[in-house]
Amino acid sequence: MIDKHVAEYLKMATDSEVMFSRETDIIEQSKKEVITLTKDIEKEKEKFYAAIFLSSVTGLSALIGFGTTLASAKKKDPKYFNEGLGGSRRLHETGVSLAFRALGWGTFYAVTGCGLLFYGIWKLSGASNAQEFRYKMGSILPKIPKNDPPQSRTEFEGLTDLLTYIAEDWGKKKD
């Protein structure tokens, strides 16, 4: 009778160990999934911040370039610059409105043309998503050989050393 109780107790203990190990495995798996999701969220945040940074730099450089060009045009010939802003009896439309119209049409043609070109390449490749497109283009385009170990110098003391190397030694076979 005691052996029967001991056997039942041992069976219950074994069953509880198995259940405990399953619960531990489930908890560990859940931890791994949470870590993976956290890493994915961090990658998405990083991509978002990178896109904002690049957009900001692009916008700022376009604004600075446009402003510098306007300033140099005004400095070069202020009379005609002011006439182009306000218009005159000889001109049917101001220089600013003409420039904006040209900029609008140029932007339209550039975006439409590039969009159609890229869409056509995408459709001709037969890819259904970006990863598949990347693999298809990778198989079509030539492979870039790895430079491991480097075949030429990779360390330079300064800009003068680099430029001297490019001018004299670059492309020559090592002895």
Side-chain angles (χ1 to χ4, degrees):
M1 183 81 163
I2 293 177
D3 289 336
K4 184 177 177 185
H5 290 304
V6 169
E8 286 179 18
Y9 178 74
L10 287 174
K11 183 177 182 316
M12 287 186 348
T14 306
D15 289 345
S16 66
E17 279 183 36
V18 169
M19 288 176 52
F20 181 72
S21 77
R22 285 184 191 156
E23 289 173 353
T24 306
D25 291 343
I26 291 172
I27 290 171
E28 290 298 319
Q29 183 65 28
S30 298
K31 284 181 183 177
K32 288 178 184 175
E33 289 175 5
V34 167
I35 290 171
T36 303
L37 288 174
T38 306
K39 286 181 182 177
D40 290 345
I41 290 171
E42 290 298 319
K43 284 181 184 177
E44 291 297 320
K45 276 185 182 179
E46 188 175 319
K47 285 181 184 178
F48 177 72
Y49 290 143
I52 286 190
F53 173 74
L54 289 176
S55 300
S56 301
V57 168
T58 303
L60 189 61
S61 54
L63 190 64
I64 289 171
F66 188 70
T68 318
T69 305
L70 277 179
S72 70
K74 185 173 185 176
K75 186 177 179 182
K76 202 176 231 182
D77 198 357
K79 178 186 170 208
Y80 286 114
F81 183 82
N82 290 331
E83 191 174 300
L85 283 178
S88 70
R89 293 182 189 178
R90 294 181 302 159
L91 301 173
H92 296 288
E93 71 182 316
T94 65
V96 173
S97 64
L98 180 65
F100 273 122
R101 192 161 43 105
L103 180 64
W105 280 110
T107 302
F108 172 75
Y109 288 138
V111 169
T112 304
C114 287
L116 287 173
L117 176 70
F118 300 151
Y119 183 74
I121 291 171
W122 175 276
K123 283 302 176 185
L124 286 174
S125 74
S128 60
N129 59 28
Q131 190 171 14
E132 188 178 332
F133 179 75
R134 181 177 152 244
Y135 287 125
K136 286 188 178 205
M137 289 298 110
S139 65
I140 293 171
L141 297 172
K143 303 276 187 262
I144 298 173
K146 296 210 182 301
N147 191 20
D148 192 27
Q151 302 299 314
S152 60
R153 285 180 58 189
T154 58
E155 299 292 326
F156 300 96
E157 292 176 12
L159 184 60
T160 306
D161 188 27
L162 171 67
L163 293 176
T164 303
Y165 171 74
I166 290 173
E168 296 172 0
D169 300 335
W170 189 49
K172 293 181 182 176
K173 297 279 185 192
K174 288 195 287 186
D175 293 333

